[in-house]
Amino acid sequence: MKIADDILYVGVNDHEIDLFEGQYVVPNGMAYNSYLILDDKIAVMDAADARFCDAWLANLEAALGGRTPDYLIVQHMEPDHSGSVDAFARRWPDAAIVATAKAFSMMQQFFGTDYAARRVVAAEGSELPLGRHVLRFVTAPMVHWPEVMVTYDAAEKLLFSADAFGKFGALDAGEPWTDEARRYYIGIVGKYGAQVRTLMKKAEGLEIGTVCPLHGPVLRGEALAQALALYAKWASYEPEESGVLVAYSSVYGHTKTAAELLAAKLREKGCAVETRDLARCDLAEAVAQAFRLPALVLATTTYNAEIYPAMKRFIDGLTEHSYQNRHVGLIENGSWAPTAAKGMLKLLENSKNLEILQPTVTLRGALSADSEAQLDALAEAIAG
Ligand code: FEO
Protein backbone atom coordinates (compact mmCIF):
# COMPACT_ATOMS: atom_id res chain seq x y z
CA MET A 1 0.00 0.00 0.00
CA LYS A 2 1.37 3.41 -1.03
CA ILE A 3 0.97 6.31 1.38
CA ALA A 4 2.96 8.64 -0.89
CA ASP A 5 5.26 8.04 -3.87
CA ASP A 6 8.11 6.99 -1.61
CA ILE A 7 6.26 6.03 1.58
CA LEU A 8 4.89 2.49 1.79
CA TYR A 9 2.73 0.69 4.34
CA VAL A 10 4.48 -2.39 5.74
CA GLY A 11 2.31 -3.14 8.79
CA VAL A 12 0.35 -6.28 9.63
CA ASN A 13 -3.22 -7.27 10.50
CA ASP A 14 -3.79 -9.42 13.57
CA HIS A 15 -6.92 -11.59 13.39
CA GLU A 16 -5.68 -13.99 16.05
CA ILE A 17 -5.92 -11.63 19.02
CA ASP A 18 -8.88 -11.94 21.39
CA LEU A 19 -8.09 -9.23 23.96
CA PHE A 20 -6.03 -6.14 23.12
CA GLU A 21 -3.84 -5.12 26.07
CA GLY A 22 -5.22 -8.26 27.72
CA GLN A 23 -8.62 -6.64 28.34
CA TYR A 24 -10.34 -5.06 25.30
CA VAL A 25 -12.37 -7.38 23.07
CA VAL A 26 -11.42 -6.81 19.43
CA PRO A 27 -13.85 -8.82 17.29
CA ASN A 28 -12.34 -7.37 14.12
CA GLY A 29 -8.74 -7.86 15.18
CA MET A 30 -6.04 -5.24 15.34
CA ALA A 31 -3.56 -3.59 12.98
CA TYR A 32 0.05 -2.87 13.90
CA ASN A 33 1.02 -0.20 11.42
CA SER A 34 4.54 0.35 10.19
CA TYR A 35 5.73 2.53 7.33
CA LEU A 36 8.77 2.62 5.09
CA ILE A 37 10.25 5.86 3.73
CA LEU A 38 12.42 5.22 0.66
CA ASP A 39 14.58 8.32 0.27
CA ASP A 40 18.36 8.82 -0.11
CA LYS A 41 18.37 7.33 3.35
CA ILE A 42 15.78 4.70 4.21
CA ALA A 43 13.76 4.89 7.41
CA VAL A 44 11.31 2.41 8.89
CA MET A 45 8.62 3.88 11.14
CA ASP A 46 8.01 1.49 14.05
CA ALA A 47 7.90 -2.28 14.21
CA ALA A 48 5.14 -4.77 15.11
CA ASP A 49 3.96 -7.14 17.81
CA ALA A 50 6.44 -10.02 18.27
CA ARG A 51 3.77 -12.56 17.29
CA PHE A 52 3.81 -11.01 13.82
CA CYS A 53 7.55 -10.43 13.56
CA ASP A 54 8.03 -12.78 10.58
CA ALA A 55 5.10 -11.30 8.65
CA TRP A 56 6.32 -7.76 9.32
CA LEU A 57 9.90 -8.54 8.30
CA ALA A 58 8.58 -10.21 5.12
CA ASN A 59 6.51 -7.09 4.28
CA LEU A 60 9.56 -4.95 4.92
CA GLU A 61 11.91 -7.09 2.81
CA ALA A 62 9.42 -7.08 -0.08
CA ALA A 63 9.01 -3.30 0.04
CA LEU A 64 12.77 -2.72 0.37
CA GLY A 65 13.43 -4.67 -2.84
CA GLY A 66 16.96 -5.54 -1.79
CA ARG A 67 17.85 -2.15 -0.28
CA THR A 68 19.04 -1.81 3.28
CA PRO A 69 17.31 0.38 5.87
CA ASP A 70 19.42 3.10 7.48
CA TYR A 71 17.11 3.82 10.42
CA LEU A 72 14.42 2.20 12.53
CA ILE A 73 12.44 4.95 14.21
CA VAL A 74 10.77 3.73 17.41
CA GLN A 75 8.07 6.18 18.41
CA HIS A 76 6.54 4.05 21.15
CA MET A 77 7.86 1.16 23.20
CA GLU A 78 4.62 -0.65 24.03
CA PRO A 79 5.20 -4.22 22.84
CA ASP A 80 2.34 -4.17 20.30
CA HIS A 81 4.79 -2.08 18.24
CA SER A 82 8.22 -2.65 19.72
CA GLY A 83 8.03 -6.45 20.02
CA SER A 84 9.99 -6.86 16.77
CA VAL A 85 12.58 -4.11 17.29
CA ASP A 86 15.32 -6.48 18.38
CA ALA A 87 14.66 -8.85 15.46
CA PHE A 88 15.08 -5.84 13.12
CA ALA A 89 18.31 -4.85 14.91
CA ARG A 90 19.70 -8.35 14.38
CA ARG A 91 18.53 -8.56 10.74
CA TRP A 92 20.12 -5.20 9.80
CA PRO A 93 23.08 -4.71 12.17
CA ASP A 94 24.24 -1.51 10.46
CA ALA A 95 20.92 0.31 10.79
CA ALA A 96 20.67 2.96 13.48
CA ILE A 97 17.84 2.95 16.02
CA VAL A 98 16.16 6.33 16.56
CA ALA A 99 14.07 6.99 19.68
CA THR A 100 13.78 9.24 22.72
CA ALA A 101 16.15 8.76 25.67
CA LYS A 102 13.28 7.27 27.70
CA ALA A 103 12.57 4.79 24.92
CA PHE A 104 16.21 3.63 24.96
CA SER A 105 15.91 3.05 28.73
CA MET A 106 12.89 0.87 28.03
CA MET A 107 14.81 -1.01 25.33
CA GLN A 108 17.34 -1.90 28.02
CA GLN A 109 14.47 -3.19 30.15
CA PHE A 110 12.77 -5.15 27.37
CA PHE A 111 15.73 -6.32 25.26
CA GLY A 112 18.71 -6.11 27.62
CA THR A 113 20.43 -3.54 25.38
CA ASP A 114 19.97 0.15 24.64
CA TYR A 115 21.84 -0.11 21.32
CA ALA A 116 24.46 2.37 22.59
CA ALA A 117 26.75 1.85 19.58
CA ARG A 118 24.08 2.51 16.99
CA ARG A 119 21.52 4.81 18.51
CA VAL A 120 20.31 8.28 17.58
CA VAL A 121 18.59 10.00 20.48
CA ALA A 122 15.62 12.09 19.37
CA ALA A 123 14.55 15.12 21.37
CA GLU A 124 11.83 17.74 21.09
CA GLY A 125 12.23 19.41 17.70
CA SER A 126 15.29 17.44 16.62
CA GLU A 127 15.47 16.52 12.94
CA LEU A 128 16.65 13.58 10.89
CA PRO A 129 17.35 14.37 7.22
CA LEU A 130 16.72 11.50 4.82
CA GLY A 131 16.99 13.49 1.56
CA ARG A 132 13.71 14.96 0.28
CA HIS A 133 12.17 14.10 3.62
CA VAL A 134 13.41 15.72 6.82
CA LEU A 135 11.78 14.09 9.83
CA ARG A 136 11.08 16.32 12.81
CA PHE A 137 10.42 14.67 16.16
CA VAL A 138 7.79 15.98 18.55
CA THR A 139 7.58 14.48 22.03
CA ALA A 140 4.16 13.26 23.15
CA PRO A 141 4.56 11.98 26.73
CA MET A 142 1.66 9.88 28.01
CA VAL A 143 0.07 9.59 24.59
CA HIS A 144 0.21 6.85 25.58
CA TRP A 145 3.45 6.07 27.48
CA PRO A 146 6.06 8.58 28.74
CA GLU A 147 8.63 7.84 26.01
CA VAL A 148 6.30 8.52 23.07
CA MET A 149 7.17 10.84 20.23
CA VAL A 150 5.40 11.58 16.97
CA THR A 151 7.15 12.46 13.74
CA TYR A 152 6.39 15.20 11.21
CA ASP A 153 7.41 15.07 7.56
CA ALA A 154 7.05 18.54 6.03
CA ALA A 155 7.72 17.22 2.51
CA GLU A 156 4.41 15.32 2.55
CA LYS A 157 2.68 17.39 5.27
CA LEU A 158 2.36 14.09 7.06
CA LEU A 159 2.28 13.27 10.75
CA PHE A 160 3.25 9.81 11.99
CA SER A 161 1.07 10.02 15.11
CA ALA A 162 2.02 6.92 17.16
CA ASP A 163 -1.05 5.65 19.10
CA ALA A 164 -2.96 8.91 18.59
CA PHE A 165 -5.80 8.67 16.06
CA GLY A 166 -5.67 4.87 16.18
CA LYS A 167 -8.58 2.49 16.52
CA PHE A 168 -9.37 -1.12 17.29
CA GLY A 169 -9.84 -3.39 14.26
CA ALA A 170 -7.62 -4.74 11.52
CA LEU A 171 -7.29 -2.62 8.39
CA ASP A 172 -9.32 -5.11 6.36
CA ALA A 173 -12.22 -4.99 8.84
CA GLY A 174 -14.11 -2.55 6.65
CA GLU A 175 -15.81 -0.83 9.58
CA PRO A 176 -16.45 2.87 10.23
CA TRP A 177 -13.76 4.76 12.15
CA THR A 178 -15.64 6.55 14.89
CA ASP A 179 -17.07 3.89 17.24
CA GLU A 180 -13.93 1.76 17.44
CA ALA A 181 -11.67 4.84 17.57
CA ARG A 182 -13.73 6.19 20.48
CA ARG A 183 -13.63 2.88 22.38
CA TYR A 184 -9.87 2.70 21.72
CA TYR A 185 -9.22 6.34 22.70
CA ILE A 186 -11.23 6.26 25.95
CA GLY A 187 -9.73 2.92 26.94
CA ILE A 188 -6.13 3.58 25.99
CA VAL A 189 -5.50 7.30 26.58
CA GLY A 190 -8.81 8.60 28.01
CA LYS A 191 -7.13 9.34 31.35
CA TYR A 192 -4.54 11.57 29.67
CA GLY A 193 -6.71 14.27 28.11
CA ALA A 194 -4.37 17.06 29.23
CA GLN A 195 -1.41 15.39 27.50
CA VAL A 196 -3.46 14.83 24.33
CA ARG A 197 -4.42 18.52 24.35
CA THR A 198 -0.73 19.44 24.70
CA LEU A 199 0.12 17.33 21.66
CA MET A 200 -2.75 18.85 19.67
CA LYS A 201 -1.50 22.32 20.60
CA LYS A 202 1.95 21.43 19.26
CA ALA A 203 0.37 20.02 16.10
CA GLU A 204 -1.51 23.29 15.48
CA GLY A 205 1.79 24.79 14.35
CA LEU A 206 2.22 22.15 11.66
CA GLU A 207 0.51 21.93 8.30
CA ILE A 208 -0.92 18.41 8.34
CA GLY A 209 -2.68 16.79 5.39
CA THR A 210 -2.17 13.14 6.32
CA VAL A 211 -2.01 11.32 9.64
CA CYS A 212 -0.40 7.87 9.80
CA PRO A 213 -1.26 6.24 13.16
CA LEU A 214 0.10 3.00 14.58
CA HIS A 215 -3.38 1.42 14.51
CA GLY A 216 -6.24 1.91 12.09
CA PRO A 217 -6.40 3.62 8.73
CA VAL A 218 -4.36 6.51 7.39
CA LEU A 219 -6.48 9.66 7.74
CA ARG A 220 -6.85 12.41 5.18
CA GLY A 221 -9.36 15.02 4.03
CA GLU A 222 -12.83 14.88 5.60
CA ALA A 223 -11.96 11.77 7.65
CA LEU A 224 -8.99 13.61 9.18
CA ALA A 225 -11.03 16.76 9.88
CA GLN A 226 -13.67 14.65 11.62
CA ALA A 227 -11.06 12.77 13.66
CA LEU A 228 -9.41 16.03 14.76
CA ALA A 229 -12.79 17.47 15.82
CA LEU A 230 -13.61 14.34 17.84
CA TYR A 231 -10.17 14.30 19.47
CA ALA A 232 -10.64 17.91 20.55
CA LYS A 233 -13.87 16.88 22.31
CA TRP A 234 -12.56 13.63 23.76
CA ALA A 235 -9.41 15.24 25.12
CA SER A 236 -11.49 18.02 26.73
CA TYR A 237 -14.02 15.58 28.20
CA GLU A 238 -16.82 17.23 26.24
CA PRO A 239 -19.78 15.20 24.97
CA GLU A 240 -20.09 14.67 21.24
CA GLU A 241 -23.84 15.20 20.96
CA SER A 242 -27.00 15.36 23.07
CA GLY A 243 -28.46 12.20 24.57
CA VAL A 244 -28.64 9.99 27.63
CA LEU A 245 -27.04 6.66 28.51
CA VAL A 246 -29.10 4.56 30.92
CA ALA A 247 -26.68 1.97 32.32
CA TYR A 248 -28.15 -0.66 34.61
CA SER A 249 -27.54 -3.93 36.34
CA SER A 250 -30.45 -6.01 37.52
CA VAL A 251 -30.71 -9.25 39.49
CA TYR A 252 -34.35 -10.33 38.95
CA GLY A 253 -35.43 -7.74 36.40
CA HIS A 254 -37.09 -5.05 38.53
CA THR A 255 -34.22 -2.59 38.23
CA LYS A 256 -34.10 -3.28 34.50
CA THR A 257 -37.84 -2.55 34.28
CA ALA A 258 -37.31 0.79 36.01
CA ALA A 259 -34.33 1.64 33.79
CA GLU A 260 -36.22 0.79 30.62
CA LEU A 261 -39.30 2.70 31.78
CA LEU A 262 -37.12 5.76 32.37
CA ALA A 263 -35.61 5.32 28.89
CA ALA A 264 -39.12 5.17 27.39
CA LYS A 265 -40.19 8.28 29.27
CA LEU A 266 -37.08 10.12 28.07
CA ARG A 267 -37.71 9.07 24.47
CA GLU A 268 -41.29 10.36 24.77
CA LYS A 269 -39.76 13.69 25.73
CA GLY A 270 -37.61 13.66 22.59
CA CYS A 271 -34.30 12.52 24.11
CA ALA A 272 -31.94 10.20 22.26
CA VAL A 273 -31.36 7.31 24.69
CA GLU A 274 -28.94 4.40 24.77
CA THR A 275 -29.37 1.59 27.30
CA ARG A 276 -26.76 -0.93 28.42
CA ASP A 277 -27.13 -4.02 30.64
CA LEU A 278 -23.78 -3.83 32.39
CA ALA A 279 -23.68 -7.53 33.29
CA ARG A 280 -23.92 -8.50 29.61
CA CYS A 281 -22.46 -5.76 27.46
CA ASP A 282 -18.87 -4.83 26.63
CA LEU A 283 -18.05 -2.52 29.55
CA ALA A 284 -15.40 -0.65 27.53
CA GLU A 285 -18.04 0.18 24.91
CA ALA A 286 -20.48 1.27 27.63
CA VAL A 287 -17.79 3.52 29.15
CA ALA A 288 -17.14 5.02 25.70
CA GLN A 289 -20.89 5.72 25.32
CA ALA A 290 -20.86 7.51 28.69
CA PHE A 291 -18.10 9.76 27.34
CA ARG A 292 -20.03 10.31 24.07
CA LEU A 293 -23.15 11.67 25.79
CA PRO A 294 -23.75 14.49 28.27
CA ALA A 295 -26.13 12.62 30.62
CA LEU A 296 -25.86 9.28 32.36
CA VAL A 297 -28.31 7.39 34.55
CA LEU A 298 -26.92 4.63 36.76
CA ALA A 299 -29.42 2.03 37.96
CA THR A 300 -28.38 -0.80 40.23
CA THR A 301 -29.17 -2.96 43.21
CA THR A 302 -27.78 -2.91 46.69
CA TYR A 303 -25.54 -5.96 47.04
CA ASN A 304 -23.48 -7.13 50.00
CA ALA A 305 -24.28 -3.74 51.59
CA GLU A 306 -22.58 -2.09 48.61
CA ILE A 307 -23.46 -2.02 44.93
CA TYR A 308 -23.82 -4.74 42.36
CA PRO A 309 -20.38 -5.85 41.01
CA ALA A 310 -21.06 -5.07 37.32
CA MET A 311 -22.02 -1.49 38.24
CA LYS A 312 -18.94 -1.15 40.42
CA ARG A 313 -16.73 -2.25 37.52
CA PHE A 314 -18.50 0.18 35.19
CA ILE A 315 -18.04 3.14 37.53
CA ASP A 316 -14.39 2.13 38.00
CA GLY A 317 -14.12 2.22 34.18
CA LEU A 318 -15.48 5.76 34.20
CA THR A 319 -13.35 7.13 37.01
CA GLU A 320 -10.09 5.51 35.90
CA HIS A 321 -10.50 7.39 32.60
CA SER A 322 -11.23 10.75 34.29
CA TYR A 323 -14.98 10.86 33.63
CA GLN A 324 -16.13 14.45 34.26
CA ASN A 325 -18.32 17.35 33.10
CA ARG A 326 -21.54 15.35 32.93
CA HIS A 327 -25.06 15.13 34.42
CA VAL A 328 -25.71 11.96 36.40
CA GLY A 329 -28.99 10.49 37.65
CA LEU A 330 -29.28 7.58 40.07
CA ILE A 331 -31.74 4.70 40.50
CA GLU A 332 -31.19 2.33 43.40
CA ASN A 333 -32.97 -0.81 44.44
CA GLY A 334 -32.90 -2.54 47.82
CA SER A 335 -35.46 -4.79 49.45
CA TRP A 336 -34.50 -4.03 53.06
CA ALA A 337 -31.67 -1.46 53.20
CA PRO A 338 -31.13 0.35 49.88
CA THR A 339 -27.67 1.93 49.93
CA ALA A 340 -26.68 1.66 46.25
CA ALA A 341 -27.12 5.39 45.51
CA LYS A 342 -24.82 6.27 48.41
CA GLY A 343 -22.32 3.68 47.17
CA MET A 344 -22.38 5.03 43.59
CA LEU A 345 -21.92 8.60 44.80
CA LYS A 346 -18.98 7.50 46.92
CA LEU A 347 -17.31 5.94 43.85
CA LEU A 348 -17.88 9.16 41.88
CA GLU A 349 -16.81 11.56 44.64
CA ASN A 350 -13.48 12.45 43.01
CA SER A 351 -14.91 12.98 39.52
CA LYS A 352 -14.79 16.61 38.49
CA ASN A 353 -17.80 18.73 37.59
CA LEU A 354 -20.57 16.16 37.86
CA GLU A 355 -24.06 17.48 38.44
CA ILE A 356 -26.11 14.88 40.32
CA LEU A 357 -29.69 15.14 39.11
CA GLN A 358 -32.62 14.99 41.53
CA PRO A 359 -34.45 13.05 42.66
CA THR A 360 -32.61 9.83 43.28
CA VAL A 361 -35.10 7.05 42.50
CA THR A 362 -35.44 4.35 45.16
CA LEU A 363 -37.13 1.00 44.53
CA ARG A 364 -37.92 -1.35 47.43
CA GLY A 365 -37.92 -4.52 45.34
CA ALA A 366 -40.39 -3.75 42.55
CA LEU A 367 -41.52 -0.55 40.90
CA SER A 368 -44.34 1.20 42.81
CA ALA A 369 -46.50 4.26 42.25
CA ASP A 370 -44.07 6.25 44.42
CA SER A 371 -40.97 5.11 42.57
CA GLU A 372 -42.63 5.66 39.18
CA ALA A 373 -43.42 9.22 40.25
CA GLN A 374 -39.72 9.61 41.10
CA LEU A 375 -38.85 8.28 37.62
CA ASP A 376 -41.16 10.93 36.10
CA ALA A 377 -39.41 13.64 38.10
CA LEU A 378 -35.97 12.36 37.11
CA ALA A 379 -37.01 12.22 33.45
CA GLU A 380 -38.17 15.82 33.75
CA ALA A 381 -34.87 16.85 35.37
CA ILE A 382 -32.91 15.23 32.53
CA ALA A 383 -35.08 16.37 29.62
CA GLY A 384 -36.30 19.62 31.09
FE1 FEO B 1 -0.41 0.72 20.31
FE2 FEO B 1 0.34 2.15 23.32
O1 FEO B 1 0.52 0.93 21.92
Side-chain angles (χ1 to χ4, degrees):
M1 190 200 323
K2 258 193 178 187
I3 309 301
D5 280 347
D6 51 3
I7 303 178
L8 303 177
Y9 180 85
V10 291
V12 293
N13 284 324
D14 178 356
H15 285 291
E16 296 168 12
I17 189 169
D18 58 347
L19 296 175
F20 183 69
E21 285 196 346
Q23 60 171 324
Y24 297 104
V25 294
V26 280
N28 286 326
M30 205 64 202
Y32 312 118
N33 296 343
S34 170
Y35 306 90
L36 175 65
I37 307 173
L38 291 163
D39 205 340
D40 298 339
K41 297 284 187 184
I42 295 177
V44 180
M45 302 299 303
D46 293 291
D49 189 289
R51 293 179 297 111
F52 288 81
C53 182
D54 290 347
W56 173 66
L57 287 175
N59 286 353
L60 198 46
E61 302 252 14
L64 281 163
R67 295 173 68 180
T68 301
D70 297 285
Y71 303 105
L72 172 63
I73 295 167
V74 179
Q75 299 185 111
H76 181 18
M77 273 299 294
E78 192 168 11
D80 51 331
H81 312 289
S82 72
S84 301
V85 164
D86 199 54
F88 175 99
R90 282 183 274 110
R91 171 66 186 81
W92 287 286
D94 294 328
I97 312 292
V98 184
T100 60
K102 278 199 178 76
F104 282 114
S105 298
M106 290 184 180
M107 286 181 215
Q108 182 72 50
Q109 296 162 213
F110 278 103
F111 313 135
T113 174
D114 59 4
Y115 304 103
R118 51 191 292 200
R119 72 181 176 198
V120 176
V121 179
E124 181 72 42
S126 69
E127 293 188 338
L128 182 71
L130 302 177
R132 188 173 80 83
H133 302 271
V134 177
L135 302 181
R136 191 197 307 173
F137 303 117
V138 177
T139 59
M142 301 320 295
V143 186
H144 135 240
W145 279 15
E147 85 299 355
V148 171
M149 65 178 186
V150 300
T151 304
Y152 182 64
D153 172 20
E156 291 293 338
K157 299 182 174 52
L158 187 154
L159 184 73
F160 295 98
S161 62
D163 271 347
F165 300 102
K167 67 181 276 295
F168 294 130
L171 290 192
D172 54 6
E175 63 190 358
W177 187 83
T178 303
D179 285 346
E180 284 299 72
R182 181 192 303 109
R183 193 167 69 94
Y184 168 86
Y185 173 89
I186 301 300
I188 305 295
V189 286
K191 181 181 174 66
Y192 300 111
Q195 289 85 347
V196 174
R197 293 198 299 276
T198 299
L199 176 59
M200 292 183 75
K201 195 85 191 153
K202 290 184 192 179
E204 276 174 15
L206 305 170
E207 199 180 340
I208 298 171
T210 303
V211 164
C212 294
L214 287 179
H215 305 287
V218 170
L219 298 168
R220 296 186 169 98
E222 183 54 34
L224 175 55
Q226 200 183 351
L228 286 167
L230 284 170
Y231 258 63
K233 287 185 175 174
W234 296 342
S236 304
Y237 302 96
E238 288 174 19
E240 291 172 41
E241 55 195 316
S242 61
V244 187
L245 171 65
V246 179
Y248 64 87
S249 62
S250 190
V251 181
Y252 291 105
H254 294 100
T255 311
K256 176 179 178 175
T257 299
E260 291 190 337
L261 183 59
L262 177 71
K265 290 175 185 292
L266 288 168
R267 289 188 184 109
E268 275 172 23
K269 291 175 181 295
C271 294
V273 184
E274 294 281 339
T275 60
R276 294 291 183 276
D277 177 346
L278 298 175
R280 292 177 174 81
C281 71
D282 169 17
L283 280 187
E285 192 277 340
V287 168
Q289 288 297 328
F291 278 80
R292 182 173 75 85
L293 300 170
L296 170 65
V297 176
L298 302 170
T300 197
T301 43
T302 307
Y303 200 81
N304 287 334
E306 290 190 21
I307 63 175
Y308 196 72
M311 177 59 78
K312 198 190 283 186
R313 286 197 295 273
F314 176 65
I315 297 177
D316 281 347
L318 297 175
T319 56
E320 75 175 290
H321 296 103
S322 298
Y323 182 73
Q324 55 188 275
N325 301 338
R326 299 294 194 276
H327 294 84
V328 178
L330 301 171
I331 300 173
E332 64 176 354
N333 196 348
S335 305
W336 64 92
T339 57
K342 198 171 143 199
M344 290 189 281
L345 284 174
K346 177 86 182 146
L347 291 177
L348 290 166
E349 68 184 354
N350 293 323
S351 298
K352 284 190 273 181
N353 198 21
L354 295 187
E355 183 180 333
I356 305 302
L357 299 166
Q358 299 301 326
T360 289
V361 178
T362 299
L363 277 69
R364 305 294 301 245
L367 202 58
S368 66
D370 281 353
S371 49
E372 183 165 353
Q374 292 173 343
L375 281 180
D376 283 321
L378 181 58
E380 189 56 36
I382 294 168

